Amino acid sequence: DVKVTQSSRYLVKRTGEKVFLECVQDMDHENMFWYRQDPGLGLRLIYFSYDVKMKEKGDIPEGYSVSREKKERFSLILESASTNQTSMYLCASRVQGYEQYFGPGTRLTVT
Amino acid sequence: EDKVVQSPLSLVVHEGDTVTLNCSYEVTNFRSLLWYKQEKKAPTFLFMLTSSGIEKKSGRLSSILDKKELFSILNITATQTGDSAIYLCAVEGRDFNKFYFGSGTKLNVKP
């Protein structure tokens, strides 16, 4: 069974803090993704990575950065959190040509 | 601009009813369309469709794709309360790994 885990289910941070969201997958997938999910907007792609140290911007990369130092781990970084980054963050992984497997999500609140 | 539109946005039915969820898309160089079910946590994969007219079936759920008219439907027969969830449609287009998600259909099945 593919397993994608995320470091926190719930997180509360203050405006201006640096925030790290971690994602780990255990199935040797080359592709990993970060999405945010907001009511009425569906899932929007922030960044994805197709290999270690490789990354591509998604549709809404502003205010975010990512890091992939090991194949199984993909981190999302909010350099200076803002209230409009309050959201549900979902990580996913996949083998090219197949479905994505999602983690349980991190609900981030920025106050 | 690439986009995926799902309808209806929400739906309330009673156990035993049959429902049809719709997903239309305008995505350049279509590769695949995927359906996911999201309860309170991670979206879970239902179907991947790449060819027109071929029905995919799993128990009471089935789905079909029309690449000429650019839409897909997800049917659920004999609904149960456990089918209550948000159903997401996603399309992969020209760029590998760039999935466009619809905003989802929220299904509520009442006993």
Side-chain angles (χ1 to χ4, degrees):
Chain A
D1 248 10
V2 176
K3 200 164 187 181
V4 180
T5 56
Q6 294 183 226
S7 49
S8 307
R9 292 299 305 276
Y10 300 94
L11 211 50
V12 180
K13 295 291 181 181
R14 293 193 180 274
T15 302
E17 278 193 87
K18 190 168 186 174
V19 182
F20 292 87
L21 302 182
E22 300 275 321
C23 175
V24 177
Q25 51 95 3
D26 65 358
M27 282 302 290
D28 204 36
H29 288 172
E30 66 268 21
N31 302 293
M32 296 187 74
F33 307 79
W34 276 106
Y35 293 91
R36 64 177 281 176
Q37 184 175 28
D38 300 289
L41 296 177
L43 275 70
R44 292 180 290 166
L45 181 65
I46 305 171
Y47 271 96
F48 70 93
S49 169
Y50 53 90
D51 202 349
V52 174
K53 298 193 189 295
M54 307 305 288
K55 62 186 179 186
E56 290 275 352
K57 290 181 181 179
D59 297 314
I60 51 164
E62 298 79 18
Y64 303 95
S65 61
V66 290
S67 171
R68 193 163 180 206
E69 296 296 319
K70 293 186 176 181
K71 192 174 185 180
E72 68 271 17
R73 190 179 296 269
F74 192 35
S75 302
L76 180 70
I77 303 148
L78 287 66
E79 294 290 341
S80 177
S82 63
T83 54
N84 64 11
Q85 292 178 309
T86 291
S87 187
M88 171 69 86
Y89 289 87
L90 289 166
C91 174
S93 71
R94 79 186 284 232
V95 171
Q96 195 90 312
Y98 293 85
E99 70 272 23
Q100 292 176 314
Y101 291 84
F102 286 87
T106 296
R107 186 166 292 282
L108 172 68
T109 302
V110 183
T111 61
Chain B
E1 185 183 323
D2 295 321
K3 65 179 180 181
V4 174
V5 178
Q6 291 185 246
S7 63
L9 291 181
S10 66
L11 196 52
V12 181
V13 300
H14 287 92
E15 273 192 315
D17 288 350
T18 293
V19 298
T20 298
L21 309 183
N22 303 291
C23 175
S24 64
Y25 62 90
E26 292 175 27
V27 175
T28 307
N29 292 350
F30 172 93
R31 291 182 193 275
S32 63
L33 184 146
L34 292 88
W35 285 98
Y36 292 88
K37 177 183 181 182
Q38 185 177 25
E39 294 169 272
K40 291 204 184 292
K41 38 190 178 147
T44 53
F45 172 72
L46 295 174
F47 299 111
M48 175 185 268
L49 304 157
T50 56
S51 302
S52 261
I54 299 173
E55 186 182 50
K56 295 249 177 142
K57 204 168 165 63
S58 175
R60 295 176 294 102
L61 278 66
S62 64
S63 184
I64 197 159
L65 174 68
D66 186 328
K67 287 168 76 173
K68 186 179 174 190
E69 299 297 329
L70 308 183
F71 77 92
S72 173
I73 59 171
L74 175 68
N75 277 322
I76 309 174
T77 59
T79 51
Q80 302 171 357
T81 55
D83 295 326
S84 295
I86 296 173
Y87 290 84
L88 298 168
C89 173
V91 177
E92 185 181 25
R94 168 185 52 201
D95 299 320
F96 278 116
N97 286 322
K98 277 205 172 174
F99 286 88
Y100 297 91
F101 279 81
S103 54
T105 293
K106 186 172 184 179
L107 175 65
N108 184 7
V109 182
K110 296 196 165 193

